[in-house]
Amino acid sequence: METKLTRITELAKMNPDTVFTSLVHLLNEENLKQCHHELPSGKATGIKGVTKEKYGMKLDDNIKELVKRLKKKAYRPVPVKRTYINKPGTKKKRPLGIPDHEDKIVQRALVKILNSIYENDFLDCSFGFRPNRSCHDALKILNVYIEKRKTNYIVDVDIKGFFDNVDHEWMMKFLKHRINDPNLLRIIARFLKGGHMEEGKYFETDKGTPQGGVISPILANVYLHYVLDLWFAKVVKKHLKGQAYMVRYADDFVCCFQYKSEADAFYSALIQRLQKFKLEVAEDKTKIITFGRFAEEDGKRNGRDKPDTFDFLGFTHYCGKSKHGKFRVKRKTSRKKVNAKLKQQKEWLKANRTMDIRDIMDRLRRSLNGYYNYYCITDNLRAVQTFLDRVRKLLFKWMNRRSQRKSFSWDKFNLFLRKYPLPHPSTKVNIYDLKKDLSYIL
């Protein structure tokens, strides 16, 4: 499959107008088996309750039957099982869809095909769910745009319920720009309209991307490539006098402008643009702020002590200064993310406080290391250290509630931490260290 995908990638790169008419044959036994093996084990099961291990016990037979249904156009995805998880920082619940294992196999194969075509089409401003690109890369590029370019205003935009409101008709139109294989398009359309099961009842899906499906991110990128990225690059920027830049990670994006009037005009045009494609701006989460090397002076003229801040990818961005007194963008973990993570730690410790202490500490170390890998970036060590201190206090509190008698005084607790130390934060990501493969963007 890799050889054939490489060939598709080469054709897509050579001619941006190439339309692929024969792709569904790639959903063959060999490739689908490979996709099965690549899927992680131990995941929650869908409606049929089939695990990866159970499916793999008769893998050859199951895959043969799957390919037969695909060829006869009889394959239909099973409705996803809907469950709800806590939404970080709020009391709301977020719907989560759990697809059947066999549907995950087909989706993974589709993702490989779509990536081989569209990775050449996607613009440099797009970072979400793409090979060799990460949240940290998006933050690094945004940092350059603000510090090294003529950025004076930030348009911080939130699309209201994007993944739940993608229009299916527009989605299929966008795909047809590059794909004219009716059999492959039919399978994608069936995933879009696959529906979900909740408390034993079936609900149709007339909009949105497949919940919990591995195909959702690539479909979202295709949708926003046509709705937003191309429009910003080919239409918006061509009518501007000043500089403008956009950094997008999935449906989360920030736009930088040199002039206030052009930032305002863009925001007004954006509302109309999104409406055309059945989307809308979350006005309570969207704002235009003065931000950049002149933001402090502008704030003082308007009676503000400090420039405004904005949140992007879990960090609050604020105007600061270097050791030499020059303007610098600085970042700290957003309050919403800190509170959500602390709440998660508290609930886990409360529920598992009677567990073997070595298991508790092992889980806590792994959790903290994961947190450090993302949030330990330039200028954010102090905020991460504060987070660690609060985790220690939570640990002290709930370890003392393992029984009716207090287990620890502070002195004994500190001795305990010497025996079972928690990892200390250190900078993992230098925001000024641009990878060679990203430097061309600038």
Side-chain angles (χ1 to χ4, degrees), residues 303-321:
R304 294 193 303 272
D305 293 333
K306 293 182 179 179
D308 290 330
T309 65
F310 69 93
D311 286 0
F312 183 57
L313 298 180
F315 293 92
T316 297
H317 293 62
Y318 62 97
C319 296
K321 289 184 178 178

Side-chain angles (χ1 to χ4, degrees), residues 278-436:
K278 310 294 179 68
L279 298 172
E280 60 180 303
V281 168
E283 294 186 13
D284 57 324
K285 297 180 182 178
T286 301
K287 58 187 178 182
I288 302 174
I289 63 169
T290 305
F291 200 93
R293 58 178 63 86
F294 303 115
E296 187 175 355
E297 296 173 20
D298 184 76
K300 288 178 180 177
R301 283 198 300 269
N302 291 286
R304 294 193 303 272
D305 293 333
K306 293 182 179 179
D308 290 330
T309 65
F310 69 93
D311 286 0
F312 183 57
L313 298 180
F315 293 92
T316 297
H317 293 62
Y318 62 97
C319 296
K321 289 184 178 178
S322 69
K323 293 178 182 178
H324 304 292
K326 293 184 178 181
F327 167 74
R328 258 185 63 185
V329 184
K330 295 190 175 183
R331 293 153 206 82
K332 60 183 177 181
T333 317
S334 72
R335 186 178 300 175
K336 179 180 175 182
K337 296 295 183 183
V338 170
N339 291 339
K341 192 64 178 177
L342 285 171
K343 183 180 178 182
Q344 186 185 68
Q345 296 284 18
K346 173 189 170 183
E347 290 174 351
W348 190 89
L349 286 168
K350 181 180 179 180
N352 296 278
R353 63 186 183 273
T354 58
M355 185 187 290
D356 187 292
I357 194 69
R358 287 166 293 191
D359 293 332
I360 290 175
M361 297 306 291
D362 180 62
R363 190 266 184 190
L364 207 51
R365 278 192 291 270
R366 285 186 284 111
S367 176
L368 284 170
N369 281 326
Y371 189 87
Y372 296 165
N373 286 338
Y374 186 74
Y375 287 106
C376 283
I377 68 172
T378 307
D379 297 319
N380 196 41
L381 272 188
R382 182 181 294 179
V384 176
Q385 182 61 55
T386 301
F387 173 81
L388 174 60
D389 293 340
R390 294 176 71 179
V391 169
R392 282 199 192 107
K393 289 177 182 177
L394 283 173
L395 179 63
F396 176 76
K397 174 183 176 179
W398 290 107
M399 291 304 94
N400 269 329
R401 295 193 180 184
R402 283 162 67 91
S403 64
Q404 292 183 343
R405 290 184 60 189
K406 281 193 174 183
S407 305
F408 293 116
S409 64
W410 269 109
D411 289 338
K412 285 186 177 179
F413 182 64
N414 286 324
L415 287 172
F416 165 78
L417 288 180
R418 288 183 188 177
K419 186 175 181 181
Y420 299 102
L422 293 175
H424 286 275
S426 60
T427 301
K428 307 286 186 182
V429 178
N430 179 358
I431 216 73
Y432 294 93
D433 181 21
L434 288 172
K435 294 189 300 188
K436 289 181 180 179

Side-chain angles (χ1 to χ4, degrees), residues 44-46 79-85 94-100 104 107 195-197 209-214 216:
T45 58
V80 299
K81 181 168 70 175
R82 175 174 278 190
T83 185
Y84 291 87
I85 58 173
R94 175 178 289 161
L96 178 69
I98 305 172
D100 189 67
K104 290 179 185 177
Q107 284 195 32
H196 67 270
M197 296 289 290
T209 56
Q211 285 189 359
V214 294
S216 282

Side-chain angles (χ1 to χ4, degrees), residues 59-104:
L59 184 61
D60 290 343
D61 292 340
N62 287 331
I63 293 294
K64 280 181 182 178
E65 176 60 28
L66 173 57
V67 172
K68 186 191 293 184
R69 280 182 281 134
L70 286 166
K71 287 181 177 179
K72 291 170 64 177
K73 304 172 189 176
Y75 168 77
R76 287 188 178 276
V78 177
V80 299
K81 181 168 70 175
R82 175 174 278 190
T83 185
Y84 291 87
I85 58 173
N86 292 326
K87 194 172 182 179
T90 71
K91 294 181 179 180
K92 297 179 181 178
K93 297 281 187 178
R94 175 178 289 161
L96 178 69
I98 305 172
D100 189 67
H101 178 73
E102 188 170 80
D103 295 334
K104 290 179 185 177

